[in-house]
Amino acid sequence: MCGIVGYIGNQKASPILINGLIRLEYRGYDSAGISTIEKDGLSIMKDKGRVKNLYNLEGIDDLTGTIGIAHTRWATHGKPAKENSHPHMDNSKTFSVVHNGIIENYNELRKFLTENGYTFYSQTDTEVIPNLVHYYYSKDTQSDELKFLRAVQNACADLKGSYAIEIICKDYKDCMIVTRKDSPLVIGKGEDENYISSDIPAILSFTRNFYLLNDLEFAILTREAVSFYDKDLNAISKKAEVIEWNAASAEKDGYDDFMLKEIHEQPTAIRETIGAKFSETSKCEFDELNFTKEYLSGLNKIYIVACGTAMYAGLVGKNAIEKLCKITTEVDVASEFRYRDPLVDDKTLCIFISQSGETADTIAALKLCKEKGAKTLAISNVIGSSITREADYSIYTHAGPEIAVASTKAYTSQVMLITILAIYFAEVLEINTTTLNTLKKDIMELPAKIEETLKLSENIQDFSKKAYQEKDIFFLGRGIDEAVAKEGSLKLKEISYIHSESYPAGELKHGPIALIENDITVVSIMTDCKLVEKTVSNIQEVITRGAKTLVITNQDVDEKMFDLTIRIPETNPFISPILSIIPLQLFAYYISKEKGLDVDKPRNLAKSVTVE
Ligand code: F6R
């Protein structure tokens, strides 16, 4: 939901800013803009549409400023249009601001500022910020080096909502100020230069040293240093964290799209996520966790709360936790959970899954569970992300940066990690050793089986050529395969814009079968030996009604029945989703390509949903 970049150093800022925006474009692509401090004051260049449009703006090459801020927008308040693009200036053109988040009380602030003589030129919530900063700045009679910071602090004290903000001022030519609340922002530390970004990968080619700002903290960046202040402007110190991701992992590396690259990175992502947490002969260990048998056996319930794909990973986690640990586990969508007064107390363990660690609803759900006295555990792919800073415990998937909007390697890594977590819980509870040892052995063999599965892409590509013009596609499964059907259906709809639905195969007869008509495509996943015959019967029912069928299986089925059968390697049922989802990721990918769509940046979506 909007990406922001900032640079202060000795190089020309504009190319660095545009380059950073291109890498952040997955966060929103309705408009883009940059603002730099030039010899004659602040400059703003912005336009509707993609970041690359900035290269065509007259005068963009003439910018020489070495300090600047930049923004790529996912529109919330105000339609995608040049006047609503960031950066925004105050009326006197003293301040330039970019903002990611939502100012909830902007109407009230707009009214206040209008009454005080300010005029607004956009429909955005953001435009109140530079004007509010100016309001406080003009009222401050002192003119010391902290006047700019005081004005920003006073303005922020009036804001309700979420924000990551960068501000430059024409009177302070050698610094920029940043602050955040409930929206992501990282500071990259360089040699006589410093960077700002909404996420780490966008500036990974410049530095691996990052400062993380907590909510309501301020930072002043100069070329040489970064100084930090708490909300009352007391100076605080921070240590830079070294991020181990390498810059190449944020590049396409010869693949046509990030999504295809990320699908192929799954063997590595799973290997890295397994890491050294266990061996076939040793117990599972998480350095970050210290759960006891007493605590786990006293739990009334585990909640897994997340959004979208991460929530579907949670459904697979529920299966593992319930079967291996015998603890009732419920999975819920964060945006619903947070508003339905869930039954959570100090005997509930609440697990939150979020690739980005910045999803607003998931963070809010976590805060709610803390208030209700539950212990909270975050699963994220981003070290230092908001969710991991809020939770009592945090464990990480090691998928590396995921750039494509549609999640692939993060999903399979989440499934892997939560399954290992279930093993850890079961071992702490001292149950089921034989099942656990077999599962651990099967997990070790999984990366090689993912590699085998990836080799099946050619048949899927051919089938996609037959299915890409469909209006509706159905996904069916039973048991754990139903959770995979849900994720497969989501992947397809988000990048191909084909309407798709997923159903438990046994539910078909209770209504959805009325939608099956001649030549419609039905995709089915069958990996559970106990349920395969039942699912085959359900597929037979749709074939009778004229459906084309794609079956993903590792079971002994009569392939002649189906239009295409994709045979994935056999594996332990607890981890079969990690293999069975791969053909579905490829199916969605090839359909999207066949339709000539932008696979990595599907319309209306953004990678990180930092607003409700
Ligand atoms: C779909 C997808 C989304 C995310 C969801 C949660 O491909 O990526 O459904 O899974 O927005 O995002 P995170 O995991 O960052 O909280």
Side-chain angles (χ1 to χ4, degrees):
M1 308 266 116
C2 302
I4 62 174
V5 186
Y7 174 75
I8 177 163
N10 295 305
Q11 305 179 60
K12 206 169 141 164
S14 52
I16 296 173
L17 296 171
I18 297 176
N19 193 292
L21 287 185
I22 287 171
R23 287 158 194 268
L24 283 180
E25 214 180 18
Y26 67 85
R27 299 179 66 88
Y29 21 89
D30 290 326
S31 66
I34 66 172
S35 178
T36 51
I37 304 185
E38 299 296 313
K39 287 197 186 71
D40 52 353
L42 296 178
S43 137
I44 286 197
M45 301 250 172
K46 57 187 185 180
D47 207 355
K48 188 180 154 183
R50 291 282 166 103
V51 173
K52 64 177 176 351
N53 295 352
L54 293 176
Y55 288 122
N56 304 328
L57 296 181
E58 212 185 305
I60 196 105
D61 294 331
D62 304 331
L63 297 174
T64 56
T66 55
I67 302 180
I69 57 178
H71 187 272
T72 180
R73 178 166 186 248
W74 188 83
T76 56
H77 295 64
K79 64 180 189 305
K82 184 172 176 183
E83 70 271 17
N84 291 328
S85 311
H86 298 217
H88 291 281
M89 275 185 180
D90 67 300
N91 290 174
S92 73
K93 301 200 185 324
T94 307
F95 300 99
S96 207
V97 168
V98 294
H99 161 226
N100 169 27
I102 289 183
I103 305 304
E104 288 164 4
N105 58 337
Y106 81 103
N107 271 329
E108 191 188 305
L109 295 170
R110 218 178 225 254
K111 186 165 170 282
F112 167 79
L113 289 163
T114 309
E115 282 162 8
N116 281 277
Y118 290 84
T119 307
F120 288 88
Y121 300 96
S122 77
Q123 292 102 50
T124 65
D125 52 338
T126 302
E127 205 184 351
V128 296
I129 303 173
N131 286 307
L132 204 54
V133 174
H134 177 265
Y135 172 81
Y136 285 111
Y137 190 74
S138 59
K139 295 257 174 297
D140 192 334
T141 48
Q142 296 178 62
S143 50
D144 57 353
E145 55 179 14
L146 291 182
K147 179 173 175 175
F148 177 19
L149 181 60
R150 277 196 302 276
V152 175
Q153 180 219 21
N154 280 318
C156 288
D158 290 346
L159 303 180
K160 292 204 179 103
S162 60
Y163 50 81
I165 303 172
E166 297 175 317
I167 312 183
I168 49 177
C169 172
K170 82 170 169 41
D171 301 340
Y172 287 76
K173 291 196 164 56
D174 296 304
C175 76
M176 79 169 65
I177 294 180
V178 299
T179 182
R180 69 178 283 268
K181 178 180 167 277
D182 296 333
S183 285
L185 181 151
V186 295
I187 301 170
K189 178 175 175 288
E191 255 331 291
D192 291 332
E193 54 185 7
N194 290 301
Y195 302 84
I196 300 290
S197 175
S198 295
D199 74 15
I200 291 168
I203 50 174
L204 211 47
S205 55
F206 301 116
T207 180
R208 284 207 192 170
N209 299 312
F210 287 87
Y211 293 111
L212 304 171
L213 214 53
N214 290 324
D215 275 356
L216 304 174
E217 289 178 347
F218 298 90
I220 302 183
L221 283 78
T222 61
R223 290 177 177 81
E224 301 76 27
V226 186
S227 28
F228 299 95
Y229 301 85
D230 68 12
K231 68 177 189 347
D232 303 316
L233 299 196
N234 300 305
I236 49 177
S237 62
K238 272 185 195 284
K239 220 170 125 261
E241 298 206 18
V242 182
I243 301 293
E244 296 303 337
W245 290 349
N246 69 28
S249 57
E251 305 293 338
K252 279 191 199 155
D253 225 6
Y255 284 91
D256 284 352
D257 313 273
F258 278 112
M259 182 176 175
L260 191 60
K261 176 180 173 246
E262 288 160 8
I263 289 173
H264 282 87
E265 282 173 343
Q266 291 179 106
T268 311
I270 296 299
R271 262 188 208 106
E272 299 277 323
T273 298
I274 301 168
K277 293 188 182 68
F278 63 85
S279 73
E280 274 175 45
T281 49
S282 69
K283 280 199 171 168
C284 206
E285 272 180 37
F286 282 88
D287 294 341
E288 311 86 341
L289 306 181
N290 56 4
F291 290 109
T292 60
K293 186 175 176 184
E294 291 65 42
Y295 170 75
L296 290 176
S297 53
L299 288 176
N300 53 20
K301 189 185 330 164
I302 291 181
Y303 262 119
I304 303 176
V305 182
C307 299
T309 286
M311 193 271 287
Y312 294 149
L315 292 176
V316 183
K318 166 188 162 83
N319 178 61
I321 296 173
E322 288 196 335
K323 290 210 170 96
L324 296 176
C325 315
K326 312 290 175 219
I327 304 175
T328 303
T329 303
E330 283 189 37
V331 182
D332 208 346
V333 174
S335 56
E336 290 296 318
F337 177 87
R338 62 182 287 196
Y339 291 116
R340 69 172 176 80
D341 198 10
L343 297 178
V344 169
D345 58 28
D346 60 349
K347 293 208 166 5
T348 319
L349 172 63
C350 300
I351 302 176
F352 301 86
I353 310 178
S354 175
Q355 186 284 129
S356 62
E358 302 296 344
T359 301
D361 283 319
T362 311
I363 296 170
L366 189 155
K367 288 181 179 166
L368 175 74
C369 292
K370 272 173 83 173
E371 276 165 28
K372 285 176 176 275
K375 278 205 172 26
T376 55
L377 190 164
I379 294 184
S380 180
N381 195 38
V382 181
I383 292 171
S385 55
S386 301
I387 199 170
T388 65
R389 282 186 272 165
E390 286 287 342
D392 298 313
Y393 304 94
S394 297
I395 55 175
Y396 292 94
T397 49
H398 291 274
E402 190 178 65
I403 311 288
V405 166
S407 183
T408 53
K409 61 176 182 171
Y411 166 79
T412 45
S413 302
Q414 287 160 352
V415 170
M416 186 74 275
L417 190 60
I418 199 155
T419 309
I420 300 174
L421 184 69
I423 300 175
Y424 163 80
F425 287 161
E427 284 179 341
V428 173
L429 287 163
E430 296 170 8
I431 41 182
N432 233 344
T433 10
T434 327
T435 316
L436 298 182
N437 288 344
T438 316
L439 176 55
K440 282 189 202 164
K441 185 173 146 298
D442 294 335
I443 290 176
M444 294 307 224
E445 289 169 4
L446 195 61
K449 292 185 178 176
I450 301 175
E451 273 153 15
E452 256 180 76
T453 311
L454 286 167
K455 291 189 190 134
L456 303 168
S457 74
E458 212 171 299
N459 283 346
I460 300 164
Q461 188 171 9
D462 288 346
F463 189 83
S464 307
K465 290 192 174 118
K466 294 184 205 145
Y468 80 101
Q469 284 170 321
E470 300 277 315
K471 292 245 167 339
D472 312 280
I473 295 187
F474 293 91
F475 289 75
L476 303 177
R478 282 173 181 259
I480 200 66
D481 295 331
E482 200 245 321
V484 177
K486 284 190 160 66
E487 169 60 6
S489 167
L490 176 63
K491 225 61 332 164
L492 182 76
K493 57 170 85 87
E494 68 184 319
I495 61 168
S496 75
Y497 316 150
I498 294 177
H499 166 250
S500 80
E501 298 278 353
S502 70
Y503 292 106
E507 267 293 294
L508 211 58
K509 287 194 276 297
H510 301 283
I513 201 162
L515 298 169
I516 303 297
E517 51 187 33
N518 208 25
D519 228 24
I520 206 159
T521 298
V522 175
V523 181
S524 164
I525 306 107
M526 305 177 193
T527 66
D528 187 331
C529 61
K530 293 194 286 305
L531 298 170
V532 62
E533 278 178 21
K534 310 244 175 251
T535 314
V536 168
S537 303
N538 299 133
I539 298 304
Q540 185 63 63
E541 290 155 10
V542 299
I543 293 173
T544 308
R545 285 157 183 85
K548 288 202 287 284
T549 50
L550 164 61
V551 167
I552 318 295
T553 189
N554 52 16
Q555 299 296 306
D556 191 14
V557 294
D558 178 6
E559 292 187 18
K560 290 195 294 303
M561 278 177 70
F562 314 118
D563 292 275
L564 176 64
T565 305
I566 298 290
R567 289 215 150 268
I568 57 171
E570 267 189 57
T571 188
N572 196 303
F574 284 112
I575 48 177
S576 71
I578 296 176
L579 298 182
S580 55
I581 192 60
I582 292 172
L584 302 183
Q585 295 169 341
L586 290 164
F587 181 57
Y589 173 81
Y590 285 120
I591 288 204
S592 178
K593 289 302 271 187
E594 210 56 53
K595 292 181 81 170
L597 300 173
D598 187 340
V599 177
D600 287 338
K601 299 187 191 91
R603 70 182 179 207
N604 305 339
L605 292 173
K607 181 80 184 155
S608 178
V609 185
T610 50
V611 294
E612 273 193 55

